[in-house]
Amino acid sequence: MAIYKNISTDTTSDPVVLIKKGSSISGSIKKITIANHDDSSSNLINLFLTDGSNNFVIVETTIPSRVTLVLEDNLRFDSSVYDLKIATNSTATTTVIIT
């Protein structure tokens, strides 16, 4: 089951939950694509796991305009323990697809 999220606001102070801890969605992930659709603005993204007390960064990087980041190695996690979240620092439209 794929997960699709569009983000178009600065979520630095309120990250978006992609996979909620304890949900029926598994932490068995094959690929995550994060696309920046803006024509001119770059977007700093922070993809991380959190257990509610601690954050564990998977990737923190700047995605230039009109570029897609693809992650497809070592992505499995225990979704009964961790939330998967993303924070962005821009209003650039960003699409996240998890398969």
Side-chain angles (χ1 to χ4, degrees):
M1 177 173 156
I3 297 169
Y4 302 90
K5 295 277 184 176
N6 283 318
I7 304 164
S8 58
T9 59
D10 181 335
T11 62
T12 305
S13 61
D14 192 17
V16 174
V17 177
L18 299 171
I19 297 178
K20 186 168 178 57
K21 174 173 52 175
S23 71
S24 61
I25 300 172
S26 167
S28 180
I29 298 171
K30 294 179 186 174
K31 184 187 295 188
I32 300 174
T33 59
I34 305 169
N36 178 354
H37 298 285
D38 197 87
D39 288 327
S40 59
S41 297
S42 62
N43 195 352
L44 175 67
I45 60 103
N46 185 354
L47 182 69
F48 62 98
L49 297 172
T50 183
D51 62 8
S53 301
N54 301 295
N55 293 339
F56 305 96
V57 176
I58 296 170
V59 64
E60 183 174 12
T61 191
T62 299
I63 301 176
S65 62
R66 296 286 182 192
V67 171
T68 299
L69 173 67
V70 178
L71 305 170
E72 56 187 353
D73 192 25
N74 299 317
L75 297 173
R76 179 181 293 255
F77 70 97
D78 186 347
S79 60
S80 69
V81 177
Y82 302 103
D83 287 322
L84 176 64
K85 294 185 176 186
I86 189 168
T88 64
N89 78 335
S90 171
T91 59
T93 301
T94 305
T95 299
V96 180
I97 302 172
I98 300 173
T99 54

